[in-house]
């Protein structure tokens, strides 16, 4: 009696499944948002990075159109250009300003590509997007710092040799208060006894306040601290401070201190008062060295 059998080689099938499993795991774990839609632009898949970036869960967006993220900041021509490229079978890339579930805006570097079947027909679309909100903010802030430093440096270069120290101080303070978030600036010179002698004070939108000396103990503390370099600290109510009432009325949130040096010697201190939730550290960065 003979025994017959049929053998089926499933190696190729197993390899394909293994590759698919690796690809699925990779897409699930990458830091970029991945969105797949069908031909009618209905979402069929999003990865966990999409959920983290947008605040929407997978269940909330499956079957939805990606337009639920639209911020309303892009003109219709922006999306027409996108669809013109995709319908030609070409990938399309740009920075997209979108809106999270909580209403906040964020910017994504997005590349959207059509997916083709064996015949070349488009069957779906895949978008890979990176949140670049923070990076763009840093670039914008860097540009602002360059501009603000140039303005202050221009003021300093434009001061005439015959100007008095008081006129020089006022000109510097007047330029400093043009920086974003700054409501007041004053400049003092240190005497031989360590006391700070105010020679300039400007408040944005107001006439220049009278110059008043700080208490001796506070002056000496500032001079000692200034030898270590610039610093920032929260503004607190100081009843003994000569400008306490004025600064409190301005809604000062923090104070930045920038030592003034001449030939490496500490000669004074520029004090900058900041309002609201401004990015305080940027103020000392904007001041020319």
């Amino acid at each position: 009696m003979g025994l017959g059998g049929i053998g089926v080689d499933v190696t190729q099938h197993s390899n394909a499944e293994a590759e698919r499993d690796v690809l699925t795991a990779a897409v699930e774990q990458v830091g970029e948002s991945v969105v797949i839609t069908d031909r009618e632009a209905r979402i069929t898949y999003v990865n966990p990075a999409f959920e983290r970036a947008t605040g929407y869960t997978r269940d909330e967006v499956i079957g939805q159109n990606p337009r639920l993220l639209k911020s309303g900041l892009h003109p219709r021509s922006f999306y027409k250009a996108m669809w013109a490229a995709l319908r030609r079978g070409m990938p399309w890339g740009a920075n997209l300003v979108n809106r999270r579930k909580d209403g906040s805006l964020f910017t994504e570097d997005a590349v959207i590509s059509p997916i083709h079947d064996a015949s070349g027909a488009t069957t779906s679309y895949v978008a890979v997007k990176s949140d670049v909100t923070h990076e763009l903010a840093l670039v914008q802030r860097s540009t602002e710092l360059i501009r603000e430093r140039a303005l202050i440096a221009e003021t300093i270069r434009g001061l005439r040799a015959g100007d008095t120290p008081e006129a020089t101080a006022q000109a510097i303070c007047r330029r400093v208060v043009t920086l974003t978030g700054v409501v007041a600036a004053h400049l003092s010179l240190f005497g031989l006894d360590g006391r700070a002698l105010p020679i300039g004070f400007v408040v944005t939108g107001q006439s220049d306040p009278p110059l008043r000396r700080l208490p001796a103990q506070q002056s000496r503390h500032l001079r000692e601290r200034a030898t270590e370099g610039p610093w920032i600290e929260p503004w607190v109510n100081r009843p003994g401070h000569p400008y306490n009432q004025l600064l409190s009325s301005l809604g000062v949130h923090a104070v930045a201190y920038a030592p003034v040096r001449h030939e490496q010697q500490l000669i004074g201190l520029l004090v900058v008062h900041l309002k609201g939730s401004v990015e305080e550290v940027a103020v000392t960065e904007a001041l020319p060295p």
Side-chain angles (χ1 to χ4, degrees), residues 258-285:
V260 178
R261 299 180 182 277
H262 178 66
E263 296 181 349
Q264 306 304 316
Q265 296 295 315
L266 177 66
I267 62 170
L269 187 66
L270 176 63
V271 183
V272 182
H273 300 278
L274 313 168
K275 184 177 182 179
S277 58
V278 69
E279 191 97 27
E280 295 96 346
V281 72
V283 175
T284 49
E285 291 174 348

Side-chain angles (χ1 to χ4, degrees), residues 24 27 50 59 65 94 104-105 154 203 217 228 265 269 280:
T24 300
V27 173
F50 171 92
D59 290 341
N65 188 295
S104 60
L105 298 177
E154 179 186 350
V203 176
Q217 185 176 358
E228 302 174 17
Q265 296 295 315
L269 187 66
E280 295 96 346

Side-chain angles (χ1 to χ4, degrees), residues 55-89:
Y56 288 100
T57 66
R58 186 173 299 184
D59 290 341
E60 289 177 304
V61 299
I62 294 298
Q64 299 284 338
N65 188 295
R67 71 168 64 98
L68 88 163
L69 299 175
K70 283 179 65 172
S71 63
L73 298 181
H74 296 293
R76 292 183 62 186
S77 57
F78 181 86
Y79 296 102
K80 288 178 70 174
M82 177 189 76
W83 279 112
L86 295 176
R87 285 169 181 151
R88 289 197 307 269

Side-chain angles (χ1 to χ4, degrees), residues 141-156 171-186 202-205 232 256-258 270-276 278-288:
R141 183 56 195 152
S142 177
T143 302
E144 291 174 354
L145 286 174
I146 292 172
R147 179 184 62 82
E148 292 169 348
R149 275 194 172 192
L151 288 173
I152 296 173
E154 179 186 350
T155 297
I156 294 173
I172 293 172
C173 291
R174 206 169 301 286
R175 180 62 76 184
V176 170
V177 297
T178 66
L179 299 178
T180 304
V182 175
V183 293
H186 64 88
V202 173
V203 176
T204 183
I232 293 176
Y257 300 86
L270 176 63
V271 183
V272 182
H273 300 278
L274 313 168
K275 184 177 182 179
V278 69
E279 191 97 27
E280 295 96 346
V281 72
V283 175
T284 49
E285 291 174 348
L287 301 175

